[in-house]
Amino acid sequence: MKLAFAILFTASFLIWVGVRTIAGINFDRNCEGYLKRAADANTIDLAIENLKVATKYAEQNGMTSGFTSIMYRTPNEDIGFWYKNLTASLKELRVVKPDTPQLEKTNILMKLRETLLDQNSITSPPGISIYPSNGSYAMWSILSFFLGFVFWIMWVGDNSY
């Protein structure tokens, strides 16, 4: 029976790893990838097009306010700040007129790049791919890992000579 529980909780933990991985991939495909494209855009229109996709995804998935942390809050986990930054950037891009001098357009695109990227990676709150279920995912991982570990130790203890 201990072996069965050890296998069950280990499988649960491995499923958690898979689900987290898939959530991260989906967030990258539907939001972060578009933020990276907006940061790399060479024209205002291209930046707007990609930033719109990312902000729409954030809105549809309730990623407009709150924190990704569970126990204590730190500034880098503030979803509201992140979302407001995205929408402010989009608003700034939309007011650029076609007759705006190229140097000014380039400066706006450079500012956008600095807003969206930190050392060539997208700036986003850690754990946002599973928001707002961060607490549930944390409990799932802790319980399945801990209980799997305990049952494996108990099983090994019973079967050692």
Side-chain angles (χ1 to χ4, degrees), residues 14 29 45 63 73 77 94 101 103 121 128 136-138 154 161:
L14 293 175
R29 288 178 56 210
D45 290 338
M63 298 174 177
R73 294 179 174 169
E77 296 164 336
R94 284 181 170 154
L103 180 61
S121 65
I128 194 166
S136 300
Y137 277 87
M154 290 170 58
Y161 297 96

Side-chain angles (χ1 to χ4, degrees), residues 14-161:
L14 293 175
I15 291 168
W16 172 84
V17 170
V19 170
R20 280 295 310 260
T21 301
I22 291 168
I25 290 168
N26 285 335
F27 181 73
D28 182 54
R29 288 178 56 210
N30 297 307
C31 189
E32 271 189 340
Y34 289 98
L35 292 175
K36 177 72 168 113
R37 287 170 51 124
D40 292 343
N42 203 25
T43 67
I44 298 293
D45 290 338
L46 199 52
I48 289 171
E49 179 184 322
N50 285 280
L51 200 50
K52 277 176 27 180
V53 173
T55 55
K56 182 178 179 183
Y57 177 83
E59 290 163 359
Q60 289 174 338
N61 289 279
M63 298 174 177
T64 58
S65 63
F67 284 81
T68 57
S69 55
I70 301 161
M71 307 256 303
Y72 59 93
R73 294 179 174 169
T74 58
N76 68 325
E77 296 164 336
D78 186 353
I79 295 171
F81 177 81
W82 172 75
Y83 175 73
K84 287 175 190 171
N85 238 1
L86 297 181
T87 55
S89 294
L90 185 55
K91 184 177 180 182
E92 187 173 335
L93 290 170
R94 284 181 170 154
V95 298
V96 176
K97 295 181 178 23
D99 62 341
T100 301
Q102 187 58 42
L103 180 61
E104 190 174 330
K105 289 178 182 178
T106 301
N107 286 340
I108 291 168
L109 289 170
M110 286 173 47
K111 180 181 175 189
L112 175 66
R113 184 173 180 81
E114 290 173 359
T115 299
L116 297 178
L117 298 178
D118 273 338
Q119 300 170 345
N120 249 4
S121 65
I122 294 297
T123 303
S124 61
I128 194 166
S129 65
I130 56 168
Y131 184 80
S133 304
N134 300 59
S136 300
Y137 277 87
M139 289 301 285
W140 179 8
S141 68
I142 292 167
L143 286 175
S144 62
F145 181 82
F146 178 74
L147 291 173
F149 182 77
V150 167
F151 279 105
W152 279 113
I153 295 296
M154 290 170 58
W155 182 76
V156 168
D158 287 350
N159 292 307
S160 64
Y161 297 96

